[in-house]
Amino acid sequence: MRYLTSIVIVLFFVQSIAAQTYEVGLIAGGSNYIGDVGSTQYISPNDIALGAIGKWNRSKRHAFRASFLYAEFNADDAKGDDRRKERGLSFDNSIKEISLGMEYNFWDWYLYDGEQQFTPYLYTGITTFNYGAQAINANNEIQAYADKWGFAIPMVLGIKKTLGRDFVIGAEIGARYTFTDNLDGSNPESRFGEGFGNLNNNDWYMFTGITISYTWGRIPCYCSF
């Protein structure tokens, strides 16, 4: 009897795993940085961003989400205000981002009755990213001096809808608040040069784009979680 109970528990556990709904797909869009160089517009994608995304839809209202994103960004004081134009700095940088967190659906997201689904959503979690730390050299140019890892908090707003029974398309705008002021060279480590701009504000970067994913799995058990 004890062995039979163990087998039932194992089968139930396997069934629960198999019964969850998953999504895997691609991310594509534009990126921009917000800091002490160049334009001060918050949503102004001026470079490319590409990546991959996966989700575990744990209930009708929330999903666990993981993503990888590669984004380039550049900034030029010529596109900033008069004070920045007079200064004349510019730089190029890129990030490789890994993000884990939770996506919250405003409306029920149910993929099993054949009906078209649509909902706005929010996403947040924790992000780690690799970037080129910057500093001003002797020629008054911003250049990378080190390969660094940092952390950021993602704040994402999006919408998504089903395409038939197997695909989901979405659009989102996401800001990442970083814990560094050195994406643009404005606050380097002391041995690499002097800082400039507002040294009390950390840098941000943005992603604006679309996602498309393939979804599969049987109806999950929406138990308390």
Side-chain angles (χ1 to χ4, degrees), residues 65-142:
R65 166 171 159 170
S67 63
F68 170 80
L69 184 69
Y70 171 80
E72 297 181 350
F73 41 77
N74 64 82
D76 192 334
D77 277 345
K79 299 178 181 179
D81 56 28
D82 291 340
R83 179 175 55 85
R84 294 190 177 188
K85 288 178 181 178
E86 184 177 348
R87 184 179 58 188
L89 294 175
S90 64
F91 77 96
D92 293 285
N93 208 338
S94 65
I95 60 98
K96 303 177 191 71
E97 170 195 287
I98 299 172
S99 186
L100 298 171
M102 183 176 291
E103 190 173 284
Y104 174 78
N105 302 317
F106 282 76
W107 305 326
D108 284 354
W109 183 248
Y110 189 72
L111 301 174
Y112 307 100
D113 58 9
E115 299 292 330
Q116 290 293 309
Q117 303 293 311
F118 171 83
T119 183
Y121 63 86
L122 295 173
Y123 168 74
T124 191
I126 186 68
T127 291
T128 183
F129 64 98
N130 178 261
Y131 68 102
Q134 310 278 309
I136 297 179
N137 63 21
N139 297 320
N140 200 38
E141 299 170 332
I142 298 178

Side-chain angles (χ1 to χ4, degrees), residues 97 99 123-129 150-156 174-179 203-205:
E97 170 195 287
S99 186
Y123 168 74
T124 191
I126 186 68
T127 291
T128 183
F129 64 98
F151 290 94
I153 299 175
M155 293 166 277
V156 177
R176 276 72 166 173
Y177 172 77
T178 76
F179 293 94
D203 297 326
W204 298 64
Y205 62 92

Side-chain angles (χ1 to χ4, degrees), residues 156-222:
V156 177
L157 174 65
I159 55 173
K160 59 185 178 181
K161 73 179 299 293
T162 52
L163 291 176
R165 294 186 63 89
D166 298 323
F167 292 92
V168 175
I169 189 168
E172 64 181 41
I173 299 173
R176 276 72 166 173
Y177 172 77
T178 76
F179 293 94
T180 179
D181 192 23
N182 209 22
L183 295 178
D184 54 17
S186 62
N187 193 12
E189 297 174 14
S190 59
R191 67 181 183 277
F192 290 102
E194 298 295 329
F196 62 88
N198 188 344
L199 303 182
N200 295 317
N201 285 342
N202 290 334
D203 297 326
W204 298 64
Y205 62 92
M206 303 283 296
F207 167 76
T208 306
I210 61 172
T211 66
I212 185 164
S213 59
Y214 173 77
T215 182
W216 77 97
R218 291 176 290 176
I219 299 177
C221 172
Y222 291 141

Side-chain angles (χ1 to χ4, degrees), residues 1-12:
M1 185 68 181
R2 181 180 58 186
Y3 296 109
L4 179 61
T5 303
S6 299
I7 291 172
V8 170
I9 291 173
V10 170
L11 289 175
F12 177 79

Side-chain angles (χ1 to χ4, degrees), residues 2-76:
R2 181 180 58 186
Y3 296 109
L4 179 61
T5 303
S6 299
I7 291 172
V8 170
I9 291 173
V10 170
L11 289 175
F12 177 79
F13 179 73
V14 172
Q15 173 69 15
S16 297
I17 293 176
Q20 307 310 317
T21 296
Y22 303 95
E23 295 180 38
V24 62
L26 300 174
I27 309 170
S31 57
N32 66 282
Y33 130 99
I34 306 164
D36 294 295
V37 178
S39 173
T40 55
Q41 295 185 30
Y42 285 94
I43 303 174
S44 181
N46 61 0
D47 226 320
I48 191 170
L50 299 168
I53 190 169
K55 300 179 187 179
W56 174 18
N57 291 305
R58 192 61 184 80
S59 78
K60 296 178 182 179
R61 287 301 182 99
H62 79 283
F64 297 112
R65 166 171 159 170
S67 63
F68 170 80
L69 184 69
Y70 171 80
E72 297 181 350
F73 41 77
N74 64 82
D76 192 334

